[in-house]
Structure formats: structure tokens, C-alpha cells
Amino acid sequence: MRGFSRNVVVYLLLFAIVFGVAFFFGNGGNGKEATVTQTEVELSKFISYLERDMIKEVEVTNTLVTGKIDEKTYVYCYVPSAYEIAILDEDYFFPMAKEGKLVYSSTKPETGSFWLSLIPNVLMIGAMIFLLYIMMNGAGNGKAFQFAKSRARQVKGEKTNFNDVAGLEEEKVELMEVVDFLKNPGKYREVGARIPKGILLVGPPGTGKTYISRATAGEANVPFFTISGSDFVEMFVGVGASRVRDLFNDAKKNAPCIVFIDEIDAVGRKRGSGIGGGHDEREQTLNQLLVEMDGFEENSGIIVIAATNRPDVLDPALLRPGRFDRQIVIGLPDVRGREAIIRVHSRNKPLDPDVTPEILARRTMGFTPADLENVLNEAALITARRNGRYIRMEEIEEAIRKVQMGPQKKSKVVSDEEKRLTAYHEAGHAVVSRALPKHMEVHEVTIIPRGLAGGYTMYLPEDDNLFETKQEMFNHVVVSMGGRVAEKLKLDDISIGASGDIKQATSIATDMVTKYGFSSELGNVNYGGDGEVFLGAELATHKAYSEQTAAKIDEEIRRIINDATELAEKILTENDDILERVAQALLLLETIDGEQFENLFTGKVTPEELKEERDRLDSEKRKKNQQEAEETEKILEEKAEIERRNAEAALEEDGIDVRERE
């Protein structure tokens, strides 16, 4: 091994000599020197002028670079080598010339004979072949390309801490114990306490599992090793196990530390599942991971944190005490959590005073922290497109709709007949939901296509309900059937637009009968069954009931949907005038908000009055947007003027007179 190290030093010296010779020959011939009258500056100052867009033309002759600032002002500098010229070409001259910011010309250096010019190329090719030969000979021990080394990325001095994490207060309390142990391990050793070696974070995608892991390392101020489960598994058997060993060796050298394995289900799936075949490489990697977690001593200062959204597929040996013996569920944030998350992600965003995080938290039920961050980012992009200075509530509302449903398709050609059908359909949903007790209030109704939907009715929940009652679930079925019933009553026909509503109603009714025991005839029995992990749910579902019971289940589901359809038809028949008002308003305005719908439902306004009010508000909005855009443009012009004055001041400091220009 020592002899090999000496050989490597010799090879590097030879390569340096060859490269120096090639560099000398490649840089021969200095060409003609420029003789124009100009001010000499250092290379760093010349680059500074380029970055400020002060230089308009550049001419390169060999290693002399001349820049034209205006008709009377020139600067020049000498660049050490042609290699530096190439760097300037790639980083500044070519990109700026392509963007039209710079006029660039170059005079190629004078060259010697053809055979002399071939010498550096031949030497370089020979050196590359020689080094490649050495590397291939050294690849026999499997270490030349570090193929079996761990791909974990080590982060020291993580700046994220628990103050940057919102909506996970209970989870932070659980992890604070780990932080305290990493800071004060002696306190736990004295009382004989055993800190968990592994902590498994379980939750849907985007809930902040990776983020809170980074915050834990930042709070404890310890090294943070991060790797994905898929980085262990390769085509070659044994590579994953080798990477696991290398990862834990690095962790032991840097203890105390945190090892974070994201998507651990990629390597920690159940072994010997039978159907579907095995995976030797993945199973060997899992075995090695189990051995390594048993290998390091308790309270050694190494904490393994893993994240997954599929805990049901993990191997039981991975979850036993002594390995991942603590599970922390990172679920969807509640309304208070969403409000705190919105406040965190809006710290660096200029929000309009009318934006209230409390209303946004109610409006975004079911959103993950990643969704909320995406919503605020989309709102900022929309604001920038209209040249606005502040993010208003309407931009955030549009961002929420875009995230949920997709972008608006105002350019899509929709016939008058389709608009009329969609208007009655969505009006049917809205009127039925308003007439039912214990249902969410209407937030917005529109017939503008968005995503795959021709229109939609959006609701605003009062709070987050952990449990739904039988009546509330039945009301959802009634509202789902309201669109189909409205089409039948008003158009004397039905369309395929209600297919999604029927699917949703059938799913809710099926859960009511088979999961929650809401059927008086079938009783409190769960007929759902349990599906296998590695097979399709329908294929592997075990039916724990007879064919007669299956027929009763079908009949009960059909009865619930029929009862809901009859109730929706009764509501719309009794409120026919309201249905007509809402539909006509949709045809005139295309979109109405919750307040406008409430006024239409109670008869306070007519569709025509709403249209007049909307036109007035739109006119005021256009004027406000134009005024804000003009103010933004004025601010940008002032900033540009300040930058121009600073550039002139920098030139004057270098002794270049720029005050008298034609």
C-alpha cells in the first residue's frame, strides 16, 4: 500500500510536468500588442466593470483585453494566459454578447508551424492514456471509483432549528428529548436511561419529516448525515451492505451525530413476502442495517432518524425495541398549525394588510406544509406578473385554486349549451348544500374550466373535524347528487359531467355500510376486509361474508344513494326560484363568491344587480393595478439611476473622467 502511494505521487509529478510543457507550447506566440491610448486597470476591476454593464465593447488581442466604456473612455488590462481568456469568454464575453449587452471581437494569436502545434496535443493525449491505464490497473480492489462508499451527505452547522418549524409542537417535544441527550449525555447515563437508537417518522408526503429532522440536528448543533433509502440499493449484490457499513463507520467517527434515512421503505420492506419474488440486494442491505443498529452501543451518541409514508410495508425486525423503537406520527396540520406555518413561510414575502393567516388557515383544510409553501410561492409569482408590490388576498385565493384544481382555462371554447348545463349543475350543488343542515358553507361557485373540471363548487369548513357523523356523511352524498338532479329538472336530460359526483357518492355510501356500521339492517359489522401490501386491493381482499350478505350490501348502498337523490330533488323543487337565480348569475358572471351566493339565495340581490356591481369593482381593480404597476416601475427606475451613479463614482475613483461626455 505504501509503494502504491509513492507511485501515485510519481504519476502526479509526471502529469504536472507534461501539463506544464503542453501549457508552455499552447501559450506560445504573443502576437501584436495594442497601441491605443487608454487607462490600465487590474483584471479584478475590469471584471467589476463588466458585471456592472459599464463596458459596451471588448476587443481581445492575445492576452491584452481592451474595453470601451464610451467614445472617449477606454480601459485595458493584461490577462496572464490564454486559459484565463477562455474563462472570461465562457463566464462573461460570450453570454453578454449573446444577450446584446456587449460587442465582442477577438484577434487570434499568431501560431508557429503545423507540426509544432501538434506537440502539446500529442503530449496531452499520451498523458491521458497513461493515467487511464494506471486507474484501470488500480480498479481491481474495488476502491478506485469509490463505488461501495456511502453516498450520505454530511451537513455540519445546520442553521435550521425548531423556531423554523411550525405546526408540529407535540412532535418537537418528543424530539427535544433527543436534542437534550445529544447536548447533555451524562445526565441520562447517571440515571441509567436508554435513549432510543432509532426514531421512525411516519406521515403523508410533504408534512415536514425531513425538515424537522434537519431542525433537530440544528437544535442540537451536531453533524447531520442524510441519505435516501434508494441510494443503498444497486444492481450488484453486496454494494448496499457495504454502503451501510461505511455510513455507520463515518457516523461513529463524528459522534455525537444524527443519521437521517429518507424513504426507508425502499430498503426496509418485509422479507420473504412470497408472492412477487424476493430481492437479494435489498434484503442483504436490510440485514446489514439491522446488524449495524445492534452493533453500536446504547447512548453512543448516534441517533438514527428514518422517514416513511408506508409504515405498513416495513419489516417487523426493523421496528422492534433496540432498533426503531419509537415512532412519531407527522400528520396533517390542524387549523392552528396551518396558521403558524403560513406565518413562517410568509416572513420574507410582502403581504397586503387585507391578508389574514386565520382565514387562509380555514381555507386550506387538508393542505400539507409543502402545499402551503407552494401556495404562497405561486401567489408571489402571480403578484410579480402583474408588477405588484404586495401579495393580496385575491392572488393567494387564485394560488389555492391553482394548486387544488389546476390553472384556469378561459381560452377554452365552450358552447352556450355547455355553459348552461354547467351553470345548472354547479348551482344544484350549491343550493342543496345551503339548504342542508350541518354542511359546510359555500365559498365559491364557478363555471370556468379548471384542470379536468368544467366547473366546481368550493366549500369553506368552519373547523377541522376529526370525526364525521352519519348525518354529515349522508349530506355529502345528497350534495354530490345535487348537480345530476338539477340537470334533470331544468334540462330534462342528464350528462356525463356527473360521473365524478356519482363515484364520490358511491364511495361514501360504501364506507358508511362496510366500514362504519351506519346501516340499520346490516348492523355494526366491518365488511371492508384487509388487502395485502404487495397485491392489488381488489385481488387480495378477503371477503368475510357470504354472497347473500354481499347482495344486501349492494342493496343498502343503492338505497342510500336513492334516498339522497330523492332528498336533493325535493330541495331543488322547493327552491326552484333560487336555483334559477344562481344559474343565471353564473351565466352572467361565470364566478360568484360565498357572499354573493348568500345574497342570491336570500333574494337580496338579482343577477343583474350583481353584474353591475362586479363591473364597477373590476373597473376599480384595473385602476388600482395600473397605479401599483406605475409605482413599481418608478421604484425600479430610481434603483437603476442609483446604480448608474454608483458606477460613475467608481470610475472617477479610478481616475477615469466620465463627466464630460457627448
Side-chain angles (χ1 to χ4, degrees):
M1 184 67 184
R2 188 176 302 171
F4 179 77
S5 300
R6 288 197 298 266
N7 290 337
V8 169
V9 174
V10 173
Y11 298 148
L12 291 176
L13 288 175
L14 289 175
F15 178 77
I17 294 172
V18 172
F19 183 81
V21 172
F23 184 82
F24 174 80
F25 282 103
N27 201 35
N30 293 325
K32 300 177 181 179
E33 295 183 357
T35 59
V36 296
T37 303
Q38 46 195 335
T39 304
E40 183 177 2
V41 297
E42 295 180 356
L43 176 60
S44 59
K45 183 65 69 174
F46 193 93
I47 293 176
S48 174
Y49 293 164
L50 283 174
E51 292 176 342
R52 297 181 189 178
D53 294 334
M54 296 164 57
I55 295 177
K56 307 304 180 183
E57 295 181 13
V58 168
E59 180 181 0
V60 177
T61 305
N62 289 344
T63 59
L64 175 66
V65 181
T66 305
K68 177 182 178 181
I69 295 178
D70 59 19
E71 297 297 327
K72 295 184 178 182
T73 308
Y74 291 83
V75 293
Y76 71 92
C77 65
Y78 288 96
V79 181
S81 66
Y83 177 73
E84 296 290 335
I85 292 289
I87 293 178
L88 289 173
D89 285 344
E90 182 177 357
D91 292 347
Y92 295 97
F93 299 154
F94 290 157
M96 295 178 69
K98 186 176 181 181
E99 295 176 4
K101 298 180 179 179
L102 190 70
V103 177
Y104 176 58
S105 61
S106 175
T107 303
K108 295 183 179 180
E110 297 178 358
T111 59
S113 66
F114 171 78
W115 298 107
L116 186 62
S117 65
L118 287 180
I119 293 178
N121 297 329
V122 173
L123 290 176
M124 289 298 295
I125 294 174
M128 293 178 62
I129 294 175
F130 179 76
L131 289 177
L132 183 61
Y133 173 78
I134 296 300
M135 293 175 63
M136 295 301 294
N137 283 344
N141 56 13
K143 296 182 180 179
F145 299 103
Q146 305 295 317
F147 188 66
K149 298 287 287 182
S150 169
R151 295 187 178 181
R153 183 171 58 91
Q154 182 181 359
V155 180
K156 291 184 178 180
E158 177 63 59
K159 297 181 180 180
T160 306
N161 54 41
F162 284 163
N163 293 329
D164 301 314
V165 180
L168 298 173
E169 302 306 320
E170 292 79 8
E171 292 79 0
K172 286 193 286 188
V173 172
E174 287 281 331
L175 291 171
M176 199 64 201
E177 183 180 281
V178 175
V179 174
D180 189 36
F181 165 73
L182 292 172
K183 287 183 175 181
N184 307 296
K187 180 175 68 174
Y188 293 86
R189 295 193 183 101
E190 289 177 359
V191 298
R194 180 179 65 83
I195 291 296
K197 293 182 179 180
I199 298 175
L200 184 65
L201 305 181
V202 179
T207 50
K209 299 184 290 295
T210 303
Y211 198 68
I212 198 172
S213 301
R214 291 174 49 196
T216 304
E219 195 74 22
N221 195 23
V222 297
F224 182 66
F225 291 87
T226 175
I227 190 172
S228 174
S230 60
D231 288 334
F232 291 113
V233 183
E234 291 285 353
M235 178 178 65
F236 305 104
V237 176
V239 173
S242 176
R243 289 176 178 173
V244 171
R245 288 191 294 269
D246 187 64
L247 170 62
F248 280 91
N249 286 336
D250 290 342
K252 291 173 184 178
K253 295 176 184 177
N254 291 274
C257 64
I258 290 177
V259 177
F260 176 67
I261 305 176
D262 198 9
E263 304 295 347
I264 194 174
D265 51 277
V267 71
R269 284 177 175 266
K270 292 180 181 178
R271 295 167 292 180
S273 58
I275 302 177
H279 194 296
D280 290 340
E281 166 63 358
R282 187 177 63 221
E283 292 186 4
Q284 286 195 22
T285 306
L286 175 59
N287 292 338
Q288 187 64 42
L289 178 61
L290 299 177
V291 171
E292 290 293 336
M293 294 194 69
D294 287 338
F296 61 86
E297 299 177 356
E298 297 175 356
N299 299 337
S300 62
I302 302 175
I303 304 295
V304 181
I305 301 179
T308 181
N309 49 28
R310 292 293 308 277
D312 53 321
V313 306
L314 295 180
D315 194 280
L318 199 63
L319 305 177
R320 74 158 175 81
R323 289 167 182 160
F324 288 101
D325 45 5
R326 178 176 295 184
Q327 293 189 22
I328 300 178
V329 177
I330 311 293
L332 296 174
D334 58 10
V335 63
R336 291 185 179 179
R338 292 194 299 273
E339 180 182 341
I341 292 168
I342 291 170
R343 294 185 185 277
V344 168
H345 287 304
S346 60
R347 288 174 181 173
N348 62 340
K349 293 180 173 58
L351 298 182
D352 195 83
D354 68 338
V355 176
T356 52
E358 296 85 356
I359 295 178
L360 290 178
R362 286 184 57 202
R363 177 70 181 78
T364 52
M365 184 180 71
F367 277 45
T368 65
D371 292 331
L372 295 173
E373 192 277 334
N374 188 30
V375 164
L376 291 174
N377 183 64
E378 287 287 347
L381 294 175
I382 295 172
T383 303
R385 282 199 294 269
R386 69 169 178 83
N387 293 328
R389 295 171 56 195
Y390 300 100
I391 302 175
R392 300 183 305 206
M393 198 69 174
E394 59 187 270
E395 275 94 28
I396 299 179
E397 285 282 352
E398 173 61 24
I400 292 173
R401 301 186 198 101
K402 188 175 181 180
V403 170
Q404 285 183 323
M405 307 287 295
Q408 280 188 352
K409 298 181 179 179
K410 290 187 176 182
S411 61
K412 184 177 180 180
V413 179
V414 181
S415 65
D416 293 339
E417 190 64 27
E418 287 182 349
K419 283 186 178 180
R420 186 164 176 264
L421 185 147
T422 306
Y424 281 113
H425 183 100
E426 299 303 334
H429 285 310
V431 172
V432 170
S433 65
R434 174 62 175 79
L436 286 172
K438 295 184 179 181
H439 197 272
M440 296 177 289
E441 63 180 83
V442 175
H443 179 68
E444 183 182 74
V445 189
T446 182
I447 60 173
I448 297 176
R450 186 184 286 272
L452 298 177
Y456 60 86
T457 302
M458 198 171 288
Y459 307 97
L460 184 65
E462 293 183 3
D463 50 24
D464 294 346
N465 292 328
L466 294 177
F467 306 101
E468 281 191 312
T469 64
K470 177 182 178 181
Q471 184 62 47
E472 288 173 342
M473 293 190 73
F474 180 72
N475 287 346
H476 291 327
V477 180
V478 177
V479 173
S480 297
M481 302 308 298
R484 166 61 64 90
V485 172
E487 292 180 18
K488 179 181 176 182
L489 292 176
K490 287 297 183 180
L491 305 176
D492 197 23
D493 199 0
I494 54 178
S495 70
I496 63 174
S499 60
D501 299 331
I502 295 174
K503 183 178 180 180
Q504 181 182 11
T506 305
S507 176
I508 297 173
T510 302
D511 289 343
M512 291 175 66
V513 174
T514 61
K515 287 187 179 181
Y516 306 124
F518 287 163
S519 171
S520 57
E521 182 177 350
L522 295 172
N524 301 323
V525 180
N526 185 297
Y527 298 101
D530 297 321
E532 293 291 339
V533 172
F534 300 100
L535 296 174
E538 296 181 359
L539 178 63
T541 298
H542 302 290
K543 292 185 178 181
Y545 47 87
S546 64
E547 294 298 328
Q548 291 80 5
T549 303
K552 290 182 179 179
I553 291 174
D554 295 339
E555 183 179 348
E556 192 69 10
I557 294 172
R558 189 180 301 110
R559 182 191 63 78
I560 291 175
I561 295 178
N562 289 340
D563 290 348
T565 304
E566 291 176 3
L567 179 56
E569 185 171 354
K570 179 182 177 182
I571 291 173
L572 293 178
T573 302
E574 293 174 353
N575 298 277
D576 180 74
D577 56 335
I578 299 176
L579 176 64
E580 190 66 35
R581 279 202 301 271
V582 175
Q584 292 303 319
L586 287 173
L587 289 173
L588 286 174
L589 304 175
E590 292 187 334
T591 301
I592 57 176
D593 58 29
E595 182 180 356
Q596 292 170 336
F597 169 77
E598 185 65 25
N599 291 334
L600 286 169
F601 189 91
T602 56
K604 292 182 179 180
V605 296
T606 64
E608 290 74 16
E609 291 172 344
L610 274 184
K611 181 69 167 59
E612 293 177 0
E613 180 68 12
R614 172 72 63 84
D615 292 341
R616 183 184 66 80
L617 293 176
D618 287 345
S619 177
E620 293 178 356
K621 178 181 175 181
R622 284 192 295 270
K623 292 179 180 178
K624 184 178 180 181
N625 289 345
Q626 184 178 0
Q627 182 180 0
E628 188 173 357
E630 291 175 354
E631 292 176 356
T632 303
E633 186 176 355
K634 183 178 180 181
I635 292 174
L636 293 176
E637 290 177 354
E638 291 175 353
K639 289 183 177 180
E641 178 64 20
I642 292 173
E643 291 178 358
R644 186 186 66 79
R645 291 177 181 176
N646 291 337
E648 290 183 354
L651 286 172
E652 291 178 359
E653 289 179 1
D654 296 332
I656 302 174
D657 189 7
V658 295
R659 288 172 297 179
E660 297 180 1
R661 295 185 178 181
E662 295 180 0

